[in-house]
Amino acid sequence: MTKMKTLKIYFVALLVLMGASNCSDEFLERTPSDQISSATFFKQQKDIEYALNAVYDLIGFNSWNRSYGSGTDMLRIEVLTDNAVDHHSWNACYELGNGTANAYDWYVQYRWQERYRGIMRANRLLEGAPNVEDMNIDYRNRLVAEATVLRAYFYFDLVYLFGDVPFLTSSIVPDDCEPIIDADGNATPNPSCSRTDRETIMDALVADLEAVLAHLPKEYEQDDKGRITKGTALTLQARIHLYREEWAEAAAASKAVMDLNVYSIYPTYANMFDYQGVDNEEVIFDIQVMEEVDEGEFWLPNYGPNSIGGWSCSCPLQSLIDTYETTDGKTIDDPTSIYDPAQPFINRDPRLHHSILYPGREWQWGVYNTIPGATYPGQEIVAGDDLNDATSGQWNKSATGYNWIKYISQQDIDDANYWDSGIHFIVMRYAEVLLMYAEAKLEAGDIDQSVYDAINEVRQRGDVNMPTIAAGKSADQLREIVRRERRVEFTFEGIRLYDIRRWKIADQVMPGVNPGLTYTDPDTGSEVTLSGGVRNFDAAKHYVWPIPQAEIDVSGLIQNPNW
Amino acid sequence: MKKKWNCCFLFKERSTTKIVKVMKLTMVMLIVTLMNLSASSYSQNKNVSLRLKNATIEEALKTIQTSLGIDIYFQSEMIPQGSTVDLDAKSATVDEIMDVVLNNTGLTYRMIDDNIVIVPKRAVENVTAQQEQIIVKGNITDVNGEPLPGVNVFEKTNTTNGVITGIDGDYSINVSSGDAVLTFSFIGFEEQEIVVGNRTSISVVLVEETTDLNEVVVVGYGTQKKANLTGAVSAVKGEELAKRTVTDTRLALQGAATGVTVIDRGGVPGSEEVSIKIRGNTSLSAGSDPLVLVDGIEMPIKEVNPSDIESVSVLKDAASSSIYGSRAANGVILITTKRGKEGDFKVSYDGHMGWQTPATLPESVSAADYLMLVNEAKVNAGLQPKYSQDYIDKTVSGTDPVNYPYTNLFEELYETAPMQNHALRVSGGTEKARISLSMNYLDQDGMLKNINTKRYGLRLNTDFIVNDRLNIRTDISFNRRDSDKPSRVDETISNIVGTSPVFLSKYPSGLYGLNKDNKSPLAALEVGGNHETESELLNMKAGFDYKVLEGLKWTTDLSYKSLNNRSHRFLAEYKFYDPFDESRLVTQWNPSELTDSRWMEKETNFRSLLNYGKNFGSHSFKALAGFEAIEHNEYILEGARKNIYSPDYAELNTGDAETKDNEGYRKDWALVSYFGRVNYDYNQKYLVEANFRYDGSSRFAEGNKWGFFPSFSAGWRLSQEDFLSGTDYLDNLKLRASWGELGNQDIGYYKFTSPVFSGYDYSFNDKESTGYSQWYYANEDITWETTQILDIGFDLTMWQGKLGIVADWFQKDTHDVLMTLPISTMVGLAPAESNVGNIRNTGWEVSVTHRNRIGEFEYGVGFNLSDIKNEVVSLAGQEAVISGWNILKEGEAVWALYGYESDGLFQSQQEIDDAAKQPNHADLKPGDIKLVDLNGDEVIDDEDRSIIGSDIPRYTYSIDLNMSYKGFDLSALFQGVAQAENYFYGAPNEGPNFEIFTTTRALDRWTPDNPNASFPRLEDASNKNNYLYNDFWIRDASYFRMKNLQIGYSFNQRVLEKIQVERLRLYVGGTNLFTITDVESGLDPETYDGRPSYYPPVSTYIVGMQVTF
């Protein structure tokens, strides 16, 4: 009997143990089924292709870590210029615009972070690509070249926004950025990720671009449309040289783009920022978004006027309006021009009409109007934009009396497509190359007919058709013409900030009250000038952004002066 | 040994339905032992001398017990009060003395061994008096096979015919016929009824009744007598939950136990937001919900039908929960379902129908007030008034609602909604097999249109008693839930507050009105498309108990659980035209879109336990060793297409092929565990227990997979000590202390790996191109969060259970809290979490119960109070993390409220000029909020912000009332929190300024004539400073709420016999019947911080019926 009991105990113990041993370590080995281990990535051709697409994914910029409206958010920086203002205190760039931002500013933080995210994706690709041997070497070189140009594009964005930044050309781990603590407890940035002189960076970027030019095609087949071309690399090179005031090199790079004979001026300015203009012959580099996919741009709500449900998050300023010439090719302050202060918006450079909503401009079924009490005989005012018109949503009405119409597409309005606009944000286009060429040549003192031709090619676009600039201008005159041309041609394209920084005019055009529309109040008869409020600009501080405080907290980087 | 002169009441009086049971089972067991050991050690014929003068019967019995040195058992209700006895016995026998004492009391006595048991006279007399045809004999034992002496056995229809069992549990009774029903009752045990039939031998196993100290509480992998518990466990009986008129087990637990904080945040039926936290929040990013086990298997508590619940145990301290190791840090809720019991099959039905209305809705201002307030806001902003007097008059008159509408969308859209719940149960069994089958059905409409949820449940629990060594059981439960709601219901909910009341939901033309954002809350309910979800939860379990040796039991269970979810979300297309210009398209939903997804989970659980128990004299020893393995898999599949052919044909196949989109992936985890427990007690006076669990989890990297979680606890039952044994008021007093460690493995699935993810796609030429990238920088060293709990408490029961107190103090320290420490953003990867934080929850809990019976009036009152103080002890040197109006900071509660302090409203321009410079200072006007310059630098900036509150309620309490009189019963539950804050942000503060839903709070806005206002001056849209996060908007969110009320009537036996029903009870009930709170304007104090866009908690009113056949 006792023996039986003992046996039973052994039996049970055995069963329990069997259960236990059944579950070996293998049972506890679980790894994701849909995520590839980083250790085994970059083994085949498609790994490079996929990794490269993820780099493209970061051309635009947004703060939500997803590919959604990235062009829309990138364009917010227009309100940091004399072209526009945003009056929404809760919006990104509001404080950067009026000079009250500090190193905690989240737009600054995210732009920094997302650019480095793109740089590191490119770095990992550049490190991993040589491991993939089983593929066409020319194709691999092209993919590597695309990643290299994208990395240069990210770095140039950082350099012109922040100044000196850490120049990291290989992937790093968090420890690489740990500050070095000396015996006294003082922290200094880790040499492996401290700030590099911006000239050194730009030298390297130019060299990188030069090195990969040969691997890039002039054009792509249909389904690769939107990829980095030789033209993209050269245009970026020209931008860098222009920024460094290396005029001869800038002119040469621009000329090289012109000589590609790939790009030409698209005849319809009115359609360039609408669906008809997507992927037109002038586009060198844009953010490719798909139509009818939930990852489009939100141009309509963010920048549209209140009358169509927009928020007016960027409102054009009067000084921009005043920059548009009259159709006779004269500036409005020229007493000989056909400018009529009583009808300020007629007989103006057509690009004004194609870029900006101003009181009396045709709009929807009637006209756009922000002036209280205004009437437009024979035309109906579309309600929603006049502060006193009793529609609600005051805070979404323009602060300056003007709204953008670039990127605001009638098709999106008709489809009530607020969140998924398929209109591509154009990062680089041929007109910029022509005007860079002209600027570089004139600054280099090398003014010839090609300079006038370049300017006039832009001015003579089909539906713009402004009078040509006649030869015989002085360098100063030409400089004024080119700068004006750049401002009106590229307004609301994110280029003005780069211009007012490199021309060092930001401290003149930014401070104080930047006025908007002036009108006569029909009730009181007094003049009212709208504005987006007072702005500060300290030349000793505001020409670069602060290094984000969150980054300084972690890596101990040295802050920019006065921030 | 303690003298037991009056503590034992052996007999249950059968004429009353319920007896106050103060009998301690332990005592009975002790007596049984004593009887066995001391057989014939005392002579019944010993002569004694005794003098009594004018003594009550009870005093007399006490004196006899003391002087004779024997035990006398009686039930105090039987003893006539007021009658006295005089006695002067010299050298009398026990018989003689007892005869005198019990003379004229209607009582007599029996000697059982050397003990005297007082019984009613008739019962004994009748045994001898009646001469019947059938003699039934049998033996009564408890579940452990121990014979039960003193059990009352009587004939149900002839209550005068009864006997009691002898020392060996045997009885013999004459009954009139085979139709007779025998009732077996014994204090501390559940009564049983058995039809005699043609049997002459009926042996019965009586099951202990779970009450008070006899109560057996379910603990991890076993049970424990409440008296012997050394950990902090709150036990709630299923019948208590059944008194709450809710169909959601989570809500049934609200206020049911100390240390359990249940917050009802409302929500659409089928996806209600109810949070359960046990003793605070221990984690920042890992799971913080308790582990819920239904008969040992992890289940979503939401899908547990309350009527299936036999008992719920909440394991709160480390001692009771460390046996669940790495899943126990947030506490454990053990739910045991009802099983079949031996006896006739019974069919019972419990069903109710009811109506739901919003428990509270924000209160709207009147039309006249709203229009006036908007005008005031405009004028204050320097604008023209928006509404003319003529417009206001026409709106107020309400005669032309099309052109002059005024709508309270809350009242328009939230409607009374019906619900019904039915539960049917069949249970019973024989000696060899016991079965419980239950079915339930819930059908609940939403208070918004087109919302419905249905729950179907089936549970079959079976036990097969193969022989006296082997029991086999199989349980199957199946739950199905079908929910339907408008796919754009969230849009409706958020737009109800975001829409100006100058609004018409639908014009006579049938066109929808649109608000400023071109949204129509009503269209989103009616034509926005439908979101169907279905989920099926199946659990099958088979297992056995095998008695290997005396005292050694082997238990093994294997279970398989599968969860199948389907979600079919259709977003309809719709064109909105201008109601005043019907040809103009204002906005549209386009294109239509269908997302169809399947989500399947399966989980296999195997476990094997060995239980051993043995007594060595006064030493009692129990041990448990176990092994458990769990494997969990999930499969997710989702497809989507756009431009669906029509709402009537909403399937993926009818969408545009070009737009097809899909994703699918798998997830899994596995857990292997070894665990054990040792209990030891000396004389049930000194109790110690130790638990451990050794867990291996797939969620961690090699080297971090295994964790060891021990706990130790001890108890001291002071009431068993000699120095307290003489007190007649003290039933039980036990001191408890415990310490242990727990883990939290709920950190996500593969946190230790550095994978490359897909999903970073880019599109070239309008075609999607797949993008892959690493996303985060993995922390390979990631490990569980570890929680240590120290708990000290006591249990006190006095006056035969009339008063019970359970109190605990605890400190719960969680180390290795997962936090995301920032890394340089130049790394280009998101930082991974690391185990660096430290959170402490300290608190105490008291539960006081009082039960009594006065004549036929029985009542009970329970009061629970818990205090939890939550503190972030360490953030690993990181400075505070600020997110909106919340802050995570060392020394403060988790995500405390953070912002500016306010100092009332500015009263004059002079005051503004003299005040510290606020942002946008130039815009300030009298009536704006004055912010406090904390650092005295004359500038209000970020440096002036401070902790301004916490939305974690400090005290939660509940009051539970139960009473019954004759057939009537009433139960009520009140629940509340104290010292809680809520930051009501957004809409309730904006009202007329942004022309949206305006609560009555805005009426008390500042004007020069109302300087002591509770609301700042109005200003259209642009006032920025008043909305800076500041404590002006914080409200004391304390509340006291009547959570539950149920009043029932049970028909008496005579009526029921006629209709051949065993039990019939009708009841009415309600939930959330009233609320007392300082939060004004109908805002709900239980809601989330921030904008009040929610589906409110509901008040329900029900009528129901319970029948048992």
Side-chain angles (χ1 to χ4, degrees), chain B residues 16-21 850-861 961-966 968-970:
Chain B
T16 56
T17 54
K18 189 112 181 159
I19 289 172
V20 180
K21 302 171 190 91
H850 168 57
R851 271 177 238 161
N852 203 0
R853 174 197 166 101
I854 302 162
E856 286 191 66
F857 179 65
E858 264 187 79
Y859 69 94
V861 185
L961 288 176
N962 284 294
M963 49 190 87
S964 67
Y965 179 71
K966 296 194 169 160
F968 291 95
D969 63 88
L970 178 148

Side-chain angles (χ1 to χ4, degrees), chain A residues 363-412:
Chain A
W363 175 236
Q364 304 302 301
W365 62 91
V367 295
Y368 171 88
N369 178 55
T370 50
I371 301 173
T375 54
Y376 301 88
Q379 283 172 298
E380 195 182 340
I381 293 173
V382 176
D385 297 317
D386 161 9
L387 276 176
N388 282 9
D389 72 359
T391 53
S392 36
Q394 300 292 16
W395 61 99
N396 289 331
K397 295 179 179 180
S398 170
T400 62
Y402 302 107
N403 273 103
W404 294 115
I405 192 156
K406 257 190 187 178
Y407 288 113
I408 306 297
S409 157
Q410 190 60 44
Q411 186 181 327
D412 283 340

Side-chain angles (χ1 to χ4, degrees), chain B residues 831-847:
Chain B
E833 292 166 313
S834 40
N835 300 89
V836 289
N838 196 336
I839 294 174
R840 169 175 289 178
N841 287 279
T842 318
W844 49 264
E845 304 154 3
V846 181
S847 157

